[in-house]
Amino acid sequence: MAVTETKHIKGILKHLILDSKGFTPEHAAEGLRSILRGEASGAQIGGFLTALRLRGMERDPNMVASLAAESYRHALRPSLETSDKSREQFGMVVDIVGTGGDGWNTFNISTTSALVAAAAGLQ
């Protein structure tokens, strides 16, 4: 099944479930693209993610790279310009993502990562 035949999330899901061996990284990216455009219901999003996991797609580096690249294409890029500094003057920018705690008293790696990055000289 060609990517053009499965453009909508319904077709992507059908392909993933019924023909996972023919499911390519391009199909996965198109599924994620459909989700990120708001074209998928909550049930379809859950089905897509569950089917990816059940089919073992997370073990395929090309599949993971394709999904990561698609996520990156849709990422919001913050404006770093200030009244006295351009984006280029900021140099390397690092984002340590985390919620700040999960309520289970587990170790918070995000906070530690930010401290290590700052100790290494990142601002």
Side-chain angles (χ1 to χ4, degrees), residues 1-8 11-12 15 26-27 30:
M1 205 179 275
V3 174
T4 54
E5 296 172 15
T6 59
K7 267 207 178 288
H8 298 289
I12 296 282
H15 190 184
E26 291 77 23
H27 292 116
E30 186 59 46

Side-chain angles (χ1 to χ4, degrees), residues 4-120:
T4 54
E5 296 172 15
T6 59
K7 267 207 178 288
H8 298 289
I9 191 68
K10 190 174 180 180
I12 296 282
L13 272 168
K14 183 178 178 182
H15 190 184
L16 176 57
I17 292 166
L18 299 178
D19 181 25
S20 63
K21 294 209 184 312
F23 194 79
T24 66
E26 291 77 23
H27 292 116
E30 186 59 46
L32 182 57
R33 190 173 309 122
S34 183
I35 290 168
L36 295 174
R37 286 184 192 141
E39 300 168 353
S41 69
Q44 289 171 323
I45 294 168
F48 179 71
L49 296 174
T50 300
L52 284 174
R53 176 76 168 113
L54 290 175
R55 298 294 188 218
M57 298 297 174
E58 80 281 359
R59 293 187 300 270
D60 179 345
N62 293 322
M63 193 70 64
V64 173
S66 178
L67 291 167
E70 191 62 35
S71 295
Y72 185 74
R73 275 191 283 284
H74 289 270
L76 298 176
R77 289 167 181 82
S79 173
L80 298 178
E81 291 80 17
T82 62
S83 59
D84 61 337
K85 223 173 186 181
S86 71
R87 182 177 182 93
E88 291 76 30
Q89 291 171 309
F90 278 96
M92 182 185 287
V93 178
V94 177
D95 181 17
I96 304 294
V97 179
T99 62
D102 60 7
W104 290 81
N105 295 322
T106 58
F107 182 74
N108 188 328
I109 193 70
S110 301
T111 302
T112 305
S113 299
L115 293 172
V116 169

